[in-house]
């Protein structure tokens, strides 16, 4: 029975709080706004652990941009990365994968 309670405690500890979820949602809203200012037709979608609510407090957020003018060319990827870097406090680390 002790193991059962230890597992429940661990799961509770690893489950993000409502405040942590709100911070991530606000971040996604800011990212969507920045991308929308670059390309109004674009659509931002989240996938991975955050989309399925299986993320850990230290997990990253996986984002996909649809309907960009050049279909995700390397030039576009760097344009988005540069725009995100210019926003104070928005991202700590961003990696462009071409």
């Amino acid at each position: 029975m002790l193991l059962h309670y230890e597992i429940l405690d661990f799961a509770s500890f690893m489950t993000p709080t409502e405040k942590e979820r709100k911070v991530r949602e606000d971040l996604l809203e800011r990212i969507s706004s920045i991308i929308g200012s670059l390309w109004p037709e674009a659509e931002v979608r989240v996938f991975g652990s955050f989309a399925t609510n299986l993320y850990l407090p230290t997990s990253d957020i996986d984002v996909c941009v649809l309907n960009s003018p050049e279909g995700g060319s390397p030039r576009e990827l760097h344009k988005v990365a540069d725009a995100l870097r210019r926003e104070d406090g928005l991202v700590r680390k961003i990696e462009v994968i071409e």
Side-chain angles (χ1 to χ4, degrees):
M1 212 50 184
L2 184 60
L3 179 59
H4 171 75
Y5 291 114
E6 287 182 25
I7 291 170
L8 291 176
D9 285 344
F10 179 73
S12 176
F13 174 73
M14 294 305 292
T15 302
T17 65
E18 187 57 38
K19 181 179 178 183
E20 290 168 330
R21 178 166 186 73
K22 178 77 170 115
V23 167
R24 286 172 177 260
E25 288 172 351
D26 291 346
L27 174 64
L28 286 168
E29 181 129 349
R30 287 178 66 193
I31 290 170
S32 295
S33 175
I34 291 165
I35 291 172
S37 71
L38 296 173
W39 310 302
E41 306 287 318
E43 186 178 336
V44 177
R45 297 248 179 111
V46 179
F47 64 97
S49 61
F50 183 69
T52 60
N53 284 320
L54 296 173
Y55 63 100
L56 299 175
T58 58
S59 294
D60 63 354
I61 301 175
D62 301 304
V63 176
C64 177
V65 178
L66 304 173
N67 302 323
S68 63
E70 296 175 21
S73 71
R75 188 177 75 78
E76 282 185 329
L77 295 174
H78 287 283
K79 185 174 183 176
V80 170
D82 291 343
L84 295 175
R85 285 185 190 109
R86 283 193 297 271
E87 290 290 314
D88 287 335
L90 184 62
V91 294
R92 186 174 1 159
K93 178 184 175 190
I94 188 165
E95 181 180 357
V96 175
I97 301 172
E98 296 181 24

